[in-house]
Amino acid sequence: MGAAALRVQGLSAGYGPVRALSGVTVEVPEGAVTAVLGGNGAGKSTLLRAISGTLRFHGGAITAGTVEFGGRRLDGRAPARIVAAGIVQVPEGRQVFARMTVADNLRAGSLGAAGGRAAERRARERVLELFPVLAERARQRAGLLSGGEQQMLAMGRALMAAPRLLLLDEPSLGLAPMMAARIADTVREINSQGTSVLLVEQNAALALKVATHAVVLENGAVALSGTASELAASDEVRRRYLGVGHEAGSEDTAAGAAVFAAHADGAPPTLRRWSA
Amino acid sequence: MTVFSELLIIGVSLGSVYALIALGFVIIFKSTEVVNFAHASLLLAGGYAAVQAREHMPFWLALLAGVVAAALLGVALEFLVIRRYRGRDHSVLAIVTIGLDIVLLTELARQIGPDIFSYRDPWGSRLIELGSLTIPQTRVAALITAAALIGIFLLAFRFTSWGVSMRAAAEHRETAALMGIRLGWVSASAWAVAGALAAVAALFLSVFPTTGLDRDTGLVALKAFPAAIIGGLDSTTGALVGGLVVGITEAMATGYQNDLSFLGSGIGELAPYLVMVLVLLARPAGLFGTRELSRV
Ligand SMILES: Nc1ncnc2c1ncn2[C@@H]1O[C@H](COP(=O)(O)OP(=O)(O)OP(=O)(O)O)[C@@H](O)[C@H]1O
Ligand SMILES: [Mg+2]
């Protein structure tokens, strides 16, 4: 394999007494899209927070292991240092600055980047080419955008720092299938322009179409890993995350599959009624 | 009518000075989520530094020295104290600032003693005739200075990178950090700006018709609290409107005190707080605020 751009090794992390990751090892090769799959609470967001240095905002911390990017240790660094090193995260739920205009949101995204005005202008041109709707809405408050547009803004804002590695936390969450497919196309395009991507998704079908490699997290540990096509073909993934198999048809999302699987063994009757 | 117009101008002038203080208070709250009860002592420290410097240098330089001193004190408080409590509950931070206020005020009161210091400012007690109106020059100077500073602040807040980082951090600290914005730098700069604005306010709270700066000047600054709360703790527009409301209310209530004697004397001092209570009853988050004090 080529030089690993991002190398997460033996990473454990927790929130006070809550252990959220144990000994996770993930590699994101330079130039690739790598997917992280897993159900609710598997530790996907925790992994991204550990990489971007924002665990402390949630009262969490890395307890063991290392994060290396291009050979440089990044664990324990401040978020600003990690952005400067070329890693930018798009948070779960988009988190656009709702009271600021679209243009100011993009500007905020460029504040952590080196390179000054000229670099900012180039980044903005690239972002507006990728998401023309952001140019039309430049003067509007970000809070007024639709969910899909907010996801585009969140991604565009992250790209303003011209990252070498983009971390995406469930970009398709809450979007209609059409919009989710469009976001997936955009991820491909961003990647083809030379940015590596670490894509966290519950929508396994979508993620495995975009990614070249994938890992499956379960209870804070890596349960499976391999190339996207290997995982897409594996029985385990097909049954639990792609909703294929004898349970198929009753659930429409991968998230549903994971949750139902968990409930199947001895869920209290009330829960069954809830899910019926 | 003449009396009313004079009172209105004086009220607006006073209000713009309160707005300077309230603005600092609000940007500290927005960027650090700290309700800064040490703001009055920050103001007194800036004023005291300026009158001390005035012994050795011309007025404008002394004022500048006071502004720089208050800004540095603000940064020092943020860096040495507030930063240590990052991530704690907001009420813990508020109590920490009350402690800071007590320490600073005690020390300043000891230094200042019973003395009254004059800025020996260029306006003195001279009056300006505007048609039929007679107004102290200091009030006009206060109005112009405060309006200019507020204008510069708002432009910077809106258009500069500093302003964008302040607003981003105010909206969501974690996401701002994900953009590579340095939150420590943002909050230190908020404390510096707040200190600088407070030091300018100290000047205009101490010049004619007031006799000068004494150890109680900080207490006058407390009127900026109702100003900030009326406007809404997290709104810069609110700080300006709140400042004006408090200034005009105070000037009117003082000016028409004789007609309001049924409310007892000293109503001018009390009126801003009455307005604050009324506003909070109608709008718990203040006129322009989005967050209630109880949720802080
Ligand atoms: N701030 C927090 N404090 C305490 N525990 C937390 C916190 N955030 C997450 N956890 C716990 O850590 C574990 C992993 O959570 P994480 O948010 O990383 O999961 P996830 O895979 O992103 O889930 P989802 O798909 O629902 O977003 C969960 O058990 C969760 O309850
Ligand atoms: Mg998550």
Side-chain angles (χ1 to χ4, degrees):
Chain A
M1 66 178 297
L6 179 77
R7 198 187 289 259
V8 175
Q9 250 163 351
L11 193 73
S12 297
Y15 305 90
V18 181
R19 190 97 188 264
L21 291 180
S22 2
V24 170
T25 297
V26 179
E27 296 204 345
V28 182
E30 178 127 41
V33 177
T34 304
V36 177
L37 311 177
N40 289 108
K44 306 181 298 296
S45 298
T46 305
L47 174 62
L48 293 195
R49 287 176 192 148
I51 297 169
S52 65
T54 51
L55 274 174
R56 66 186 178 87
F57 287 92
H58 301 265
I62 294 176
T63 50
T66 59
V67 177
E68 256 175 50
F69 185 59
R72 293 212 338 254
R73 282 282 291 272
L74 287 184
D75 45 288
R77 297 278 187 207
R81 290 284 298 272
I82 291 165
V83 171
I87 302 181
V88 180
Q89 183 191 343
V90 179
E92 189 173 353
R94 332 187 209 295
Q95 305 290 1
V96 298
F97 298 117
R99 283 179 281 161
M100 290 163 55
T101 62
V102 168
D104 279 351
N105 266 271
L106 292 181
R107 198 164 166 206
S110 71
L111 291 177
R117 288 277 152 102
E120 187 186 335
R121 207 179 43 245
R122 252 177 288 131
R124 178 173 288 112
E125 274 166 18
R126 177 181 168 209
V127 166
L128 295 182
E129 204 172 296
L130 212 49
F131 305 112
V133 65
L134 298 182
E136 293 160 27
R137 301 293 173 85
R139 300 273 135 238
Q140 224 178 61
R141 282 184 174 214
L144 300 175
L145 300 179
S146 75
E149 288 164 347
Q150 288 194 9
Q151 184 60 49
M152 294 185 202
L153 177 56
M155 288 168 68
R157 183 180 61 178
L159 290 175
M160 287 298 290
R164 290 162 60 203
L165 171 63
L166 188 65
L167 312 177
L168 296 170
D169 198 345
E170 303 204 33
S172 77
L173 188 74
L175 301 184
M178 284 277 283
M179 185 52 89
R182 236 184 106 189
I183 296 290
D185 287 341
T186 316
V187 171
R188 267 191 217 101
E189 183 160 354
I190 291 169
N191 179 244
S192 73
Q193 293 175 5
T195 307
S196 316
V197 178
L198 183 59
L199 172 66
V200 161
E201 264 298 341
Q202 292 211 11
N203 187 338
L206 186 92
L208 289 176
K209 267 186 231 151
V210 179
T212 51
H213 294 74
V215 300
V216 176
L217 281 186
E218 257 168 46
N219 292 324
V222 176
L224 291 168
S225 73
T227 66
S229 44
E230 276 166 13
L231 284 186
S234 102
D235 281 348
E236 172 85 358
V237 171
R238 285 164 65 84
R239 201 174 64 245
R240 297 198 52 179
Y241 299 103
L242 295 175
V244 185
H246 62 274
E247 293 169 2
S250 57
E251 296 98 40
D252 48 3
T253 65
V259 171
F260 276 68
H263 286 171
D265 35 63
T270 40
L271 270 182
R272 249 183 230 126
R273 240 184 290 132
W274 273 93
S275 50
Chain B
M1 201 55 212
T2 314
V3 174
F4 178 81
S5 309
E6 281 178 9
L7 288 176
L8 188 64
I9 294 177
I10 287 171
V12 170
S13 163
L14 253 181
S16 62
V17 175
Y18 292 149
L20 285 182
I21 308 169
L23 203 54
F25 194 74
V26 164
I27 61 167
I28 285 180
F29 180 73
K30 276 174 83 97
S31 64
T32 357
E33 308 211 311
V34 178
V35 180
N36 178 24
F37 289 104
H39 215 78
S41 49
L42 202 55
L43 179 142
L44 186 57
Y48 183 59
V51 291
Q52 286 295 307
R54 183 71 176 99
E55 303 289 323
H56 313 288
M57 55 186 83
F59 171 77
W60 293 108
L61 272 183
L63 178 61
L64 184 65
V67 165
V68 171
L72 289 179
L73 179 61
V75 172
L77 292 182
E78 197 278 334
F79 198 78
L80 298 175
V81 185
I82 301 300
R83 196 163 287 207
R84 315 275 159 220
Y85 293 87
R86 170 102 0 109
R88 298 291 183 81
D89 193 44
H90 301 313
S91 41
V92 172
L93 275 164
I95 290 167
V96 168
T97 65
I98 293 175
L100 279 177
D101 190 59
I102 293 172
V103 171
L104 284 173
L105 272 188
T106 310
E107 176 58 18
L108 284 165
R110 198 177 64 81
Q111 299 254 342
I112 295 172
D115 298 339
I116 297 177
F117 293 91
S118 167
Y119 276 84
R120 288 182 281 126
D121 56 276
W123 309 291
S125 57
R126 279 191 297 277
L127 302 173
I128 286 183
E129 309 271 340
L130 286 170
S132 61
L133 308 180
T134 313
I135 296 158
Q137 278 191 7
T138 51
R139 294 296 111 207
V140 177
L143 182 55
I144 293 172
T145 311
L149 288 178
I150 290 168
I152 292 170
F153 172 84
L154 290 181
L155 287 176
F157 200 61
R158 204 169 145 74
F159 294 112
T160 65
S161 295
W162 174 78
V164 174
S165 9
M166 291 283 292
R167 283 182 286 143
E171 232 181 277
H172 201 244
R173 296 175 62 76
E174 180 185 359
T175 311
L178 283 178
M179 307 290 101
I181 292 169
R182 289 178 169 75
L183 297 178
W185 191 82
V186 165
S187 56
S189 69
W191 281 78
V193 169
L197 293 179
V200 175
L203 164 70
F204 291 111
L205 292 177
S206 311
V207 293
F208 182 80
T210 313
T211 45
L213 183 114
D214 61 28
R215 61 187 176 192
D216 289 335
T217 299
L219 296 183
V220 185
L222 291 182
K223 280 178 209 143
F225 285 108
I229 290 168
I230 286 170
L233 266 186
D234 61 344
S235 162
T236 45
T237 319
L240 305 184
V241 174
L244 290 179
V245 168
V246 168
I248 293 170
T249 311
E250 183 184 340
M252 292 292 169
T254 309
Y256 291 113
Q257 195 147 29
N258 293 339
D259 305 316
L260 296 170
S261 54
F262 63 92
L263 289 173
S265 65
I267 186 65
E269 298 292 306
L270 198 60
Y273 294 93
L274 290 178
V275 175
M276 176 181 86
V277 170
L278 290 178
V279 167
L280 287 186
L281 282 178
R283 288 186 57 94
L287 292 176
F288 296 88
T290 58
R291 275 186 279 186
E292 295 176 20
L293 251 185
S294 59
R295 267 194 263 136
V296 167

